[in-house]
Amino acid sequence: RPFTTDADALVCLNNREFIVDALRGDDEGGPFRGDGREPDDARAGADFEIKLGPLEGVCVVRLGRTIACASTSAMLERPQSAGASSEGVLRVDCEFSSGACEGFAREGRANRETRQRAKDLGALLERGLKDARAVDVESLCVLAGKRVWVVTCAVTILAHDGNLAGAAGLAGCGTV
């Protein structure tokens, strides 16, 4: 299952105790949130920010304390398969900054689990962008069977405090 981890590696004991207490709730009833919101309340609008640029094809999204940066590039290539020779290609690559969260990197290098998590997040984003038809892949065909545009969206998670898919997805949409 993607994004399942050993809780000891990512959440310190104090944070884990707070989360468990919050889920159990208080004496008056249900669970509570540290920011005072009710379970069905959304975050206030000031809790997120989307910045485009300064270069074309770059977008930075901040959702709470989670930050994702995406950039998009394109290259002309030969079609990979004969069946899809009249369609371009949309790829999404994802990586985690070593400082994004404790446990993502050991001694400055991403561990195997972190690389797999990044690969899973990239696949999720790619599927979401394709299903949402964020890019018309048929319009990326220059010459059927000869040349198509291959659009690559590179997403980097700079800070992780939850909702990785949301922040990365918004950043990816902002660049394509």
Side-chain angles (χ1 to χ4, degrees), residues 16-57:
R16 189 172 330 116
E17 288 174 0
F18 173 80
I19 292 168
V20 170
D21 289 344
L23 290 173
R24 286 188 184 135
D26 54 16
D27 295 335
E28 282 115 41
F32 68 93
R33 292 179 168 179
D35 59 4
R37 290 181 292 139
E38 293 295 320
D40 294 334
D41 290 344
R43 287 189 171 106
D47 208 21
F48 74 93
E49 181 178 15
I50 299 174
K51 290 184 180 180
L52 299 175
L55 302 173
E56 193 172 315

Side-chain angles (χ1 to χ4, degrees), residues 27 50 80 87 93 100 125 129 131:
D27 295 335
I50 299 174
Q80 294 284 327
E87 292 182 348
D93 296 326
L125 296 176
L129 289 172
D131 289 350

Side-chain angles (χ1 to χ4, degrees), residues 148-170:
V148 296
W149 283 105
V150 176
V151 177
T152 303
C153 178
V155 179
T156 303
I157 304 300
L158 301 174
H160 168 38
D161 194 36
N163 202 359
L164 289 176
L170 285 171

Side-chain angles (χ1 to χ4, degrees), residues 4 40 57-58 81 87 99 137 146 154 158 165-166:
T4 58
D40 294 334
V58 176
S81 64
E87 292 182 348
V137 291
K146 302 286 185 190
L158 301 174

Side-chain angles (χ1 to χ4, degrees):
R1 293 177 26 197
F3 305 110
T4 58
T5 62
D6 177 21
D8 293 329
L10 293 178
V11 182
C12 70
L13 183 60
N14 290 340
N15 288 346
R16 189 172 330 116
E17 288 174 0
F18 173 80
I19 292 168
V20 170
D21 289 344
L23 290 173
R24 286 188 184 135
D26 54 16
D27 295 335
E28 282 115 41
F32 68 93
R33 292 179 168 179
D35 59 4
R37 290 181 292 139
E38 293 295 320
D40 294 334
D41 290 344
R43 287 189 171 106
D47 208 21
F48 74 93
E49 181 178 15
I50 299 174
K51 290 184 180 180
L52 299 175
L55 302 173
E56 193 172 315
V58 176
C59 182
V60 178
V61 172
R62 181 183 59 79
L63 285 177
R65 291 186 304 232
T66 298
I67 302 171
C69 177
S71 63
T72 299
S73 61
M75 291 181 58
L76 276 174
E77 294 184 9
R78 291 191 180 278
Q80 294 284 327
S81 64
S85 63
S86 63
E87 292 182 348
V89 178
L90 174 63
R91 294 184 185 141
V92 178
D93 296 326
C94 188
E95 68 178 24
F96 294 104
S97 166
S98 61
C101 181
E102 278 184 51
F104 276 176
R106 303 275 190 264
E107 300 171 7
R109 297 186 60 209
N111 58 32
R112 186 172 70 231
E113 184 179 336
T114 300
R115 288 192 302 271
Q116 183 61 46
R117 218 178 301 156
K119 184 178 176 183
D120 292 342
L121 179 60
L124 176 73
L125 296 176
E126 185 173 320
R127 192 168 48 247
L129 289 172
K130 286 179 178 177
D131 289 350
R133 299 183 189 270
V135 174
D136 179 13
V137 291
E138 289 181 8
S139 69
L140 297 177
C141 179
V142 176
L143 188 58
K146 302 286 185 190
R147 291 281 184 223
V148 296
W149 283 105
V150 176
V151 177
T152 303
C153 178
V155 179
T156 303
I157 304 300
L158 301 174
H160 168 38
D161 194 36
N163 202 359
L164 289 176
L170 285 171
C173 282
T175 64
V176 295

